[in-house]
């Protein structure tokens, strides 16, 4: 078992390893000691893993399961209210603890519910997608979507513990696994050249689900995210580097109405665009851009979405992170090192965007 400490207030551990679900109950009980555990999970993940998680408590403490429908559409205020009503119905009180068992959708929703139920009860994150293990479960951000946009309502609520079991990734659809790898490549590209080299070297093993290789890159990626958020708990300057590939990525997601691309895939395309922008802005050496593009494509296929350039550029300007309607770009000046630029010429943005749409 690998352990990464997240140095936030309060601090907590991320455990990474094979078959951790079997010992989850014992570890959680020892750390939290709640009088009841409320497992929030999706139908798909619950069917696969809820029994194993419940069994790991060996009947010492009551465990209730709250199942919610799969998918991003479930991450809404009405579902949040339903989850909270379920907590109350099962007799949850301030000594209860929520366990989020699922992907980022479950982590965000269950984390939010825990943060507001009786003004806040503990949450343990058990992320079951690669994306959630390296990103969503760490840093304490919770959210639900509004009709007006994604993640518009949320809280900060740090988990007591994060358990990333590499074995659960064996049942993850291949496309979801690939999408997670793009975020791992991102972590290497912005802050850890050794992780980036591992992603270059181990593509075949990782795509085949080799657990030792997975544990290695997940641990390194978690360290990058943990270090960045710890240095910058509330979204100021440093945290922005995590948005490498996300400026164009978010625009592509918005231009496709969040229907065609998985988030990680949009980030993959966004990193390719950011590499080109970096070269044209005189920030990124050609050789660095070539490595980023080749490594990203090794985790493809990465189909270019069929959208108009106009819709991408409009989405770029509307992005909530853009200020004065000039988008901010995280660019690489080397593998593992970033520069943030607000003055990228429109023509450079356009030509890079053109290369990632059909
Ligand atoms: N809080 C944060 O800091 C943060 C960061 C990044 C993303 N997010 C959020 O995370 C969400 C995306 O998360 P995601 O990519 O994990 O998607 P997801 O939660 O929708 O999961 C993807 C799919 O995989 C299935 N699944 C999950 N684990 C499985 C397993 N082990 N075996 C088989 N199937 C499995 C799920 O049922 C779902 O259908 C978005 O809502 C995004 O906003 C939050
Ligand atoms: Zn992302």
């Amino acid at each position: 078992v690998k352990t990464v400490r997240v140095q936030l207030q309060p601090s907590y551990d991320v455990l990474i390893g094979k078959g951790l679900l079997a010992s989850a109950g014992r570890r959680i009980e020892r750390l939290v000691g709640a009088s009841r555990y409320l497992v929030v999970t999706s139908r798909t993940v619950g069917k696969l893993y809820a029994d194993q998680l419940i069994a790991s408590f060996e009947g010492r403490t009551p465990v209730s399961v709250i199942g919610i429908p799969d998918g991003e559409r479930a991450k809404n205020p009405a579902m949040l209210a339903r989850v909270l009503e379920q907590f109350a119905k099962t007799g949850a009180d301030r000594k209860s603890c929520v366990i989020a068992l699922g992907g980022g959708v479950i982590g965000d929703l269950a984390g939010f519910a825990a943060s507001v139920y009786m003004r806040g009860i503990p949450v343990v994150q058990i992320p079951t997608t690669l994306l959630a293990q390296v990103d969503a479960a760490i840093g304490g951000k919770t959210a639900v979507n509004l009709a007006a946009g994604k993640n518009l309502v949320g809280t900060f609520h740090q988990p007591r513990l994060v358990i990333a079991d590499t074995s659960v990734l064996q049942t993850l659809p291949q496309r979801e696994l690939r999408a997670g790898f793009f975020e791992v490549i991102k972590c290497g590209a912005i802050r850890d050249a050794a992780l980036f080299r591992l992603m270059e070297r181990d593509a075949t093993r990782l795509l085949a689900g080799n657990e030792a290789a997975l544990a290695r890159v997940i641990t390194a990626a978690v360290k990058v995210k943990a270090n960045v958020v710890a240095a910058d708990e509330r979204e100021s300057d440093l945290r922005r580097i995590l948005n490498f590939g996300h400026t164009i990525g978010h625009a592509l997601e918005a231009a496709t109405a969040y229907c065609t691309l998985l988030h990680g895939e949009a980030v993959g395309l966004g990193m390719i665009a950011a590499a080109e922008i970096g070269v044209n802005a005189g920030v990124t050496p050609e050789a660095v851009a070539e490595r980023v593009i080749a490594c990203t494509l090794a985790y493809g296929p990465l189909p270019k979405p069929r959208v108009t350039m106009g819709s991408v550029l409009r989405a770029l300007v509307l992005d909530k992170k853009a200020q004065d309607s000039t988008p901010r770009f995280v660019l690489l000046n080397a593998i593992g090192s970033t520069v943030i630029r607000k003055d990228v010429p429109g023509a450079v943005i356009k030509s890079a965007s053109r290369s990632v749409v059909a």
Side-chain angles (χ1 to χ4, degrees):
V1 183
K2 306 237 173 60
T3 304
V4 179
R5 187 95 185 144
V6 186
Q7 300 285 0
L8 290 171
Q9 290 310 329
S11 63
Y12 53 95
D13 284 338
V14 181
L15 309 180
I16 301 129
K18 193 172 173 170
L20 284 179
L21 209 49
S23 58
R26 184 173 48 76
R27 292 175 195 277
I28 293 167
E29 282 183 310
R30 204 166 52 203
L31 184 81
V32 184
S35 58
R36 171 181 294 280
Y37 293 94
L38 310 158
V39 177
V40 179
T41 190
S42 75
R43 302 259 151 83
T44 308
V45 177
K47 239 181 244 153
L48 289 165
Y49 300 112
D51 286 346
Q52 213 180 316
L53 176 60
I54 293 167
S56 74
F57 284 89
E58 297 171 343
R60 285 176 300 255
T61 315
V63 180
S64 343
V65 176
I66 293 125
I68 66 167
D70 264 288
E72 185 70 33
R73 278 182 34 205
K75 215 177 93 173
N76 65 58
M79 194 63 68
L80 172 70
R82 266 172 58 186
V83 169
L84 294 168
E85 294 288 358
Q86 286 294 322
F87 287 178
K89 225 183 249 169
T90 60
D93 62 16
R94 312 190 53 168
K95 291 203 192 76
S96 304
C97 170
V98 174
I99 301 176
L101 175 69
V105 165
I106 294 294
D108 277 9
L109 183 67
F112 196 156
S115 74
V116 294
Y117 188 72
M118 297 190 167
R119 299 198 181 80
I121 61 175
V123 64
V124 170
Q125 293 281 351
I126 305 185
T128 62
T129 64
L130 179 57
L131 182 116
Q133 293 188 350
V134 298
D135 190 355
I138 302 147
K141 275 196 199 177
T142 82
V144 295
N145 304 323
L146 297 182
K150 275 198 66 178
N151 297 329
L152 286 184
V153 195
T155 59
F156 272 95
H157 191 52
Q158 299 302 333
R160 293 291 306 276
L161 178 67
V162 181
I163 299 176
D165 181 347
T166 53
S167 304
V168 305
L169 301 179
Q170 300 300 324
T171 55
L172 191 64
Q174 183 73 8
R175 189 178 169 201
E176 297 284 349
L177 188 68
R178 289 173 188 273
F181 284 133
F182 298 120
E183 293 278 6
V184 178
I185 294 170
K186 177 201 78 179
C187 289
I190 60 173
R191 220 148 142 97
D192 184 346
L195 168 58
F196 190 87
R197 281 194 296 275
L198 274 179
M199 294 305 290
E200 290 178 317
R201 192 193 76 186
D202 283 353
T204 312
R205 250 173 294 191
L206 288 167
L207 286 164
N210 178 294
E211 289 199 42
L214 280 168
R216 227 174 359 248
V217 301
I218 292 168
T219 303
V222 165
K223 278 185 186 156
V224 170
K225 170 118 196 211
N227 289 340
V228 170
V229 297
D232 179 4
E233 193 173 347
R234 299 217 175 208
E235 193 90 46
S236 69
D237 278 352
L238 184 60
R239 200 162 177 151
R240 288 213 174 94
I241 71 172
L242 295 170
N243 278 333
F244 176 61
H246 282 60
T247 311
I248 300 282
H250 283 146
L252 292 173
E253 285 185 283
T256 52
Y258 299 92
C259 290
T260 12
L261 292 168
L262 295 178
H263 171 71
E265 293 171 335
V267 171
L269 293 166
M271 289 193 293
I272 292 173
E276 285 186 25
I277 290 170
V279 170
N280 289 327
V283 172
T284 310
E286 292 263 9
V288 168
E290 278 165 21
R291 280 177 72 191
V292 169
I293 293 169
C295 186
T296 303
L297 292 176
Y299 292 85
L302 211 42
K304 297 175 180 180
R306 302 187 166 281
V307 289
T308 63
M309 279 300 296
S311 63
V312 176
L313 297 175
R314 259 193 312 280
L316 260 181
V317 172
L318 293 176
D319 191 320
K320 66 176 192 288
K321 271 158 189 147
Q323 279 165 14
D324 312 324
S325 68
T326 36
R328 209 186 278 269
F329 282 94
V330 181
L331 303 175
L332 302 179
N333 53 3
I335 298 291
S337 170
T338 55
V339 172
I340 293 181
R341 292 287 283 270
K342 279 202 298 192
D343 55 354
V344 176
V348 169
I349 299 174
K350 261 188 214 163
S351 104
S353 306
R354 201 166 287 124
S355 71
V356 293
V357 302

